[in-house]
Amino acid sequence: GVRLITGYASGAYKHTSTKTLLGHRGVRFQLHANPTTPPPSSPSSATMWGIARTFVNNTHNNNNSNSKAAAAAAANATARFATKAAAAGAEIPTPVPGLLPRFPEPNAGGLLRFLDYVGTVAFASSGALTASAAGMDALGCGIVGTITAVGGGTVRDFLLGVRGPCFWMAEAEYLYMCIATTAATFFLWPNISQSQMNPMAEAVIETGDFLGLGAFCVIGAHNGVRAGVPLVAAAICGMATATFGGVIRDTLCKRPVRILHSHQELYATCALAGATSYLVSRGAGLPTALNIFVGMGAAFALRYASMNYGLRLPTLSSSKRNLTVEPISVKKP
């Protein structure tokens, strides 16, 4: 028969022995059909077999992996495939449309992709600086910086059970950005920190981190929706995408994990608020551009308030935290 799997996928079109089509618009098909075998006897199965055979043959004829025309063709084929399969009696879940184009474009999704790149660069740079302060060498700074930038998305994809290579392997530009950023930070920052450009450079990194936080939480939440997880889990996906790279960074550098302590301003809470706001806006049926704005705006607003008004999560007071347990004395008879 034929099995249709919908889920997150990114990168160019790639064909495997099981006829897997990965489209960068975010729709993945896995067509288990052998075009050389005769159609099944069941009318519905035969119809599905014919659809799969036509679809597989057509997709193999298109080898332009990065063209917008190929993406449009894949999207149209998706609709036709689902319509005919539904008419044949197959139960097919409705795929959630992709949020990001492959590269930045002059639209809401393209702007989100651009901010995703900005956040990646800022996270990689801050991670490299943290590793340098911990005494790591050039390789250590590169690894920690890269983990800071892509670690959250990697953890998210692992939790969602995404099949195939991780997103930064399918979209290698993330890896290139991390390598270039960490190398530039490692070799140029000593001179920058001693010059008059230091305040401006720190402000640029802080702004990039600010923008990346908002973009990452929205992207992570949307990936959770596309994976079909409950909304609470989708919100956690948004928070994890924006913060878990920093968790791994702090662990490797033997520092207190930033998002778990209140000695600094709110961070993970801002990401969780942004992801939740995006999901609420999306559930209300608002346009995609407005959903993105609402999610990122909530994260920005809470982050700004935390930085300027000292918002912190509550902690136990020292009197309650330093509780002691008296040893139990056993009297001998």
Side-chain angles (χ1 to χ4, degrees), residues 212-250:
L213 174 69
F216 285 6
C217 70
V218 170
I219 294 171
H222 188 77
N223 277 279
V225 171
R226 299 187 67 193
V229 300
L231 293 182
V232 174
I236 294 175
C237 285
M239 182 190 70
T241 304
T243 62
F244 276 26
V247 171
I248 303 173
R249 173 203 63 202
D250 292 341

Side-chain angles (χ1 to χ4, degrees), residues 70-235:
N76 293 333
T78 303
R80 292 195 299 271
F81 183 89
T83 301
K84 293 182 180 179
E91 295 183 0
I92 299 178
T94 302
V96 178
L99 188 65
L100 300 176
R102 184 66 172 81
F103 297 104
E105 296 178 359
N107 52 49
L111 176 60
L112 185 61
R113 174 69 79 178
F114 174 75
L115 295 179
D116 183 31
Y117 288 172
V118 171
T120 298
V121 171
F123 279 35
S125 181
S126 65
L129 291 175
T130 302
S132 177
M136 295 188 183
D137 58 12
L139 179 61
C141 291
I143 292 176
V144 172
T146 301
I147 289 175
T148 305
V150 302
T154 303
V155 172
R156 173 205 67 213
D157 287 354
F158 174 77
L159 293 176
L160 292 177
V162 175
R163 299 184 181 183
C166 189
F167 76 95
W168 50 267
M169 294 181 178
E171 302 175 7
E173 61 269 19
Y174 286 97
L175 192 58
Y176 300 149
M177 283 188 287
C178 291
I179 294 173
T181 300
T182 54
T185 301
F186 182 83
F187 291 108
L188 299 180
W189 189 259
N191 295 329
I192 295 176
S193 62
Q194 302 298 326
S195 68
Q196 297 180 351
M197 296 177 59
N198 184 43
M200 183 177 65
E202 291 181 349
V204 169
I205 294 177
E206 187 67 28
T207 302
D209 182 271
F210 195 87
L211 296 174
L213 174 69
F216 285 6
C217 70
V218 170
I219 294 171
H222 188 77
N223 277 279
V225 171
R226 299 187 67 193
V229 300
L231 293 182
V232 174

